């Protein structure tokens, strides 16, 4: 013991040394299998293999060899539960990405700055990647779902515009009916002379104006209301559902792939922890686990790492496919929205054209009235009336006595 203390230089080292010698001597004497494993271990670590006498003799070889092994283990010895340098380096890596609802995004200010796919165009394909919080509840609405809702809203607006035009048509039809009815009125039918002619023409103009408004209402129906109603019929909603199901299926696949990544990541962490614990137990002699156990744990850890890489690769492939389909489909919806707006614009312009035509035709109905009103002559009307209604032109004279 004194020689050991003088060689180790510290009482604690002496105690640990002796403890190791006693354990090794006892175990090796009782187990030839462990003795053989020790030889294999010594060979792998390029240490001399002693004779059986020195192994099972007075323990001097055990003292020397144990001291060497202790010094060798002391170089990289870690306390139980400590984090390995590799894991410490992984933990110290700064996170540059975050995954939200299965979709991975760069953190603000991290990585190269992304450029818009269609700069300065406010394109759908650039602004609907993240999910939107539903104001009605705690759930989230996918960005693509927002685009679909825009399409459905546009379809509803188009329908309501058609209803508005229909109400306008009803007003025109009712107006035309009332004008036509009023034109047949006998009120002031006995007016005579040039004023009577102008009055008759005015009543006739109401009938002509009624015809104009009736034609206007018919054209509104055929050239404005009907196109607005028939533009993109029932098949349009079916097409939108196909888009919805397609993107939703890809999103579900993406969520499933990410769940696989998360599961594989946890499995790898468990395997690494198991390997680390077994390695520490072997190093500090708290377990009689063999080197084969370490190799087996290392193989499982490597396999878990390979599984994680495979899951990440599948996830990235699925996200790439979802990304491509999102770009293609969102641009298709953008094109549909442009077509809808241009279609409505075209037919609202047709409305204003018809309206101008109606005003022009209405003007034509009152022009004859204007001309006759300009020829109204009270003197002539008096002449005509007197000629027709005179009772005599001999004036009375004084009576003679």
């Amino acid at each position: 013991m004194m020689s050991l203390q003088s060689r180790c230089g510290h009482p604690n080292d002496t105690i640990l040394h002796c403890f190791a010698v006693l354990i090794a001597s006892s175990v090796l004497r009782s187990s030839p299998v462990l003795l053989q494993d020790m030889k294999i271990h010594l060979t792998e670590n390029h240490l001399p293999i002693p004779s059986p006498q020195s192994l099972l003799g007075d323990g001097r070889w055990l003292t020397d060899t144990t001291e060497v092994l202790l010094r060798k283990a002391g170089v990289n010895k870690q306390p139980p539960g400590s984090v390995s340098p590799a894991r410490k380096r992984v933990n110290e890596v700064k996170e540059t990405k975050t995954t939200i609802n299965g979709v991975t995004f760069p953190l603000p200010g991290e990585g190269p700055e992304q450029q818009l796919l269609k700069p300065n165009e406010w394109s759908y394909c650039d602004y609907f990647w993240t999910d939107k919080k539903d104001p009605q509840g705690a759930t989230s609405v996918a960005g693509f779902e927002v685009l679909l809702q825009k399409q459905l809203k546009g379809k509803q607006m188009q329908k309501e515009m058609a209803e508005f035009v229909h109400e306008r048509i009803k007003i025109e039809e009712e107006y035309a009916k009332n004008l036509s009815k009023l034109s047949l009125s006998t009120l002031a039918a006995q007016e005579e002379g040039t004023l009577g002619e102008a009055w008759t023409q005015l009543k006739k103009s109401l009938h002509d104006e009624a015809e104009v408004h009736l034609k206007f209402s018919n054209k509104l129906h055929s050239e404005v209301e009907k196109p607005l109603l028939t533009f993109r019929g029932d098949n349009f909603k079916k097409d939108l559902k196909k888009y919805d199901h397609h993107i939703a299926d890809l999103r579900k696949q993406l969520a499933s792939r990410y769940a696989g990544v998360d599961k594989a990541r946890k499995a790898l962490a468990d395997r690494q922890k198991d390997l680390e614990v077994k390695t520490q137990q072997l190093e500090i002699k708290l377990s009689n686990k063999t080197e084969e156990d370490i190799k087996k744990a290392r193989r499982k850890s490597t396999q878990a790492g390979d599984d994680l890489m495979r899951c990440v690769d599948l996830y990235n492939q699925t996200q790439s496919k979802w990304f491509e389909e999102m770009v293609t489909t969102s641009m298709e919806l953008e094109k549909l929205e442009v077509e809808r707006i241009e279609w409505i614009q075209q037919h609202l312009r047709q409305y204003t054209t018809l309206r101008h035509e109606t005003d022009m035709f209405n003007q034509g109905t009152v022009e004859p009235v204007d001309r006759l009103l300009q020829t109204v002559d009270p003197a002539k009307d008096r002449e005509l009336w007197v000629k027709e209604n005179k009772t005599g032109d001999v004036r009375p004279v004084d009576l003679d006595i």
Side-chain angles (χ1 to χ4, degrees):
M1 181 68 74
M2 290 298 295
S3 62
L4 287 175
Q5 183 172 351
S6 61
R7 291 164 62 185
C8 295
H10 194 281
N12 291 338
D13 291 340
T14 302
I15 296 172
L16 180 61
H17 206 121
C18 293
F19 183 69
V21 169
L22 291 173
I23 292 176
S25 177
S26 175
V27 170
L28 292 175
R29 283 191 176 93
S30 63
S31 177
V33 176
L34 289 179
L35 180 61
Q36 182 63 27
D37 289 342
M38 175 64 83
K39 291 181 180 180
I40 295 173
H41 178 72
L42 292 171
T43 302
E44 290 178 348
N45 288 276
H46 307 290
L47 296 172
I49 301 177
S51 64
Q53 291 78 11
S54 62
L55 280 173
L56 301 176
D58 57 6
R60 284 192 300 273
W61 178 87
L62 286 172
T63 300
D64 295 338
T65 304
T66 303
E67 185 175 7
V68 171
L69 291 175
L70 284 172
R71 286 201 305 269
K72 183 177 179 64
V75 174
N76 297 315
K77 184 166 59 178
Q78 296 179 10
S82 64
V83 181
S84 66
R87 180 175 294 182
K88 188 177 295 184
R89 286 194 296 270
V90 171
N91 291 338
E92 290 174 355
V93 174
K94 183 180 180 182
E95 293 291 341
T96 60
K97 299 176 182 178
T98 182
T99 302
I100 303 173
N101 294 337
V103 183
T104 302
F105 300 96
L107 288 171
E110 299 294 340
E113 183 179 356
Q114 292 185 348
Q115 301 297 321
L116 295 176
L117 299 176
K118 299 180 72 177
N120 303 320
E121 294 189 29
W122 293 96
S123 175
Y124 287 174
C125 67
D126 279 317
Y127 296 98
F128 293 90
W129 293 108
T130 55
D131 295 344
K132 181 180 180 181
K133 192 88 173 207
D134 186 359
Q136 303 296 329
T139 59
S140 297
V141 179
F144 187 75
E145 186 67 25
V146 175
L147 294 177
L148 288 178
Q149 290 175 0
K150 170 63 175 172
Q151 293 293 318
L152 294 174
K153 181 180 179 181
K155 179 69 175 176
Q156 180 63 25
M157 294 301 99
Q158 170 191 326
K159 178 182 178 182
E160 291 182 11
M161 287 179 184
E163 292 177 358
F164 179 89
V165 174
H166 181 72
E167 292 299 316
R168 182 73 171 89
I169 290 171
K170 288 170 62 176
I171 292 173
E172 288 295 320
E173 290 175 343
E174 188 67 20
Y175 184 55
K177 178 181 177 181
N178 291 333
L179 284 177
S180 181
K181 181 179 178 180
L182 185 59
S183 69
L184 300 176
S185 173
T186 58
L187 295 174
Q190 296 181 359
E191 182 61 54
E192 302 170 326
T194 56
L195 182 59
E197 293 175 2
W199 176 248
T200 301
Q201 184 59 44
L202 187 146
K203 290 196 294 182
K204 182 179 182 302
S205 71
L206 294 183
H207 176 76
D208 296 339
E209 186 178 356
E211 291 294 323
V212 169
H213 283 277
L214 191 59
K215 289 180 181 179
F216 175 52
S217 66
N218 290 335
K219 287 187 175 182
L220 280 181
H221 172 70
S222 60
E223 299 180 24
V224 181
E225 179 193 16
K226 189 175 180 180
L228 289 177
L229 283 174
T230 58
F231 181 62
R232 293 179 183 162
D234 296 335
N235 290 332
F236 178 67
K237 289 187 177 180
K238 294 180 180 178
D239 293 339
L240 290 183
K241 286 185 178 180
K242 290 180 181 179
Y243 287 138
D244 188 16
H245 291 161
H246 180 56
I247 297 298
D249 287 343
L250 290 176
R251 188 66 184 271
K252 289 178 181 177
Q253 293 178 25
L254 189 58
S256 176
R257 294 298 188 194
Y258 183 73
V261 170
D262 197 42
K263 183 178 179 181
R265 186 184 289 114
K266 292 178 181 178
L268 176 59
D270 292 341
R271 293 301 182 187
Q272 288 177 333
K273 184 177 181 180
D274 181 58
L275 175 60
E276 188 173 335
V277 170
K278 288 182 178 179
T279 303
Q280 290 176 356
Q281 289 176 344
L282 183 64
E283 290 175 349
I284 62 177
K285 301 297 187 292
L286 295 179
S287 172
N288 61 352
K289 294 294 183 181
T290 64
E291 185 69 21
E292 189 62 32
D293 293 328
I294 302 299
K295 291 180 180 179
K296 185 177 180 181
R298 187 176 291 111
R299 283 195 301 270
K300 289 183 177 180
S301 179
T302 302
Q303 181 62 47
D306 293 340
D307 291 342
L308 176 59
M309 292 180 64
R310 180 181 58 83
C311 289
V312 170
D313 186 52
L314 290 173
Y315 169 82
N316 287 335
Q317 291 179 22
T318 304
Q319 181 167 258
S320 178
K321 183 177 180 181
W322 173 75
F323 173 84
E324 293 173 0
E325 291 299 318
M326 274 287 291
V327 171
T328 302
T329 310
S330 62
M331 291 183 68
E332 180 64 25
L333 294 181
E334 182 178 309
K335 179 182 176 182
L336 290 175
E337 178 63 6
V338 171
E339 291 176 354
R340 182 189 76 90
I341 292 176
E342 290 179 345
W343 177 267
I344 294 176
Q345 178 191 33
Q346 173 187 345
H347 289 84
L348 292 185
R349 283 180 173 175
Q350 182 62 17
Y351 169 86
T352 60
T353 298
L354 294 174
R355 187 68 181 83
H356 289 314
E357 288 179 356
T358 301
D359 290 341
M360 182 180 66
F361 290 141
N362 282 336
Q363 185 64 30
T365 64
V366 298
E367 286 178 355
V369 179
D370 283 337
R371 287 194 296 269
L372 286 177
L373 287 175
Q374 291 173 2
T375 62
V376 170
D377 183 354
K380 186 174 183 180
D381 284 1
R382 186 172 62 252
E383 175 187 352
L384 293 174
W385 183 83
V386 168
K387 286 181 178 179
E388 184 174 347
N389 294 282
K390 63 182 180 178
T391 58
D393 56 1
V394 178
R395 294 184 298 279
V397 297
D398 292 339
L399 178 64
D400 292 334
I401 297 177

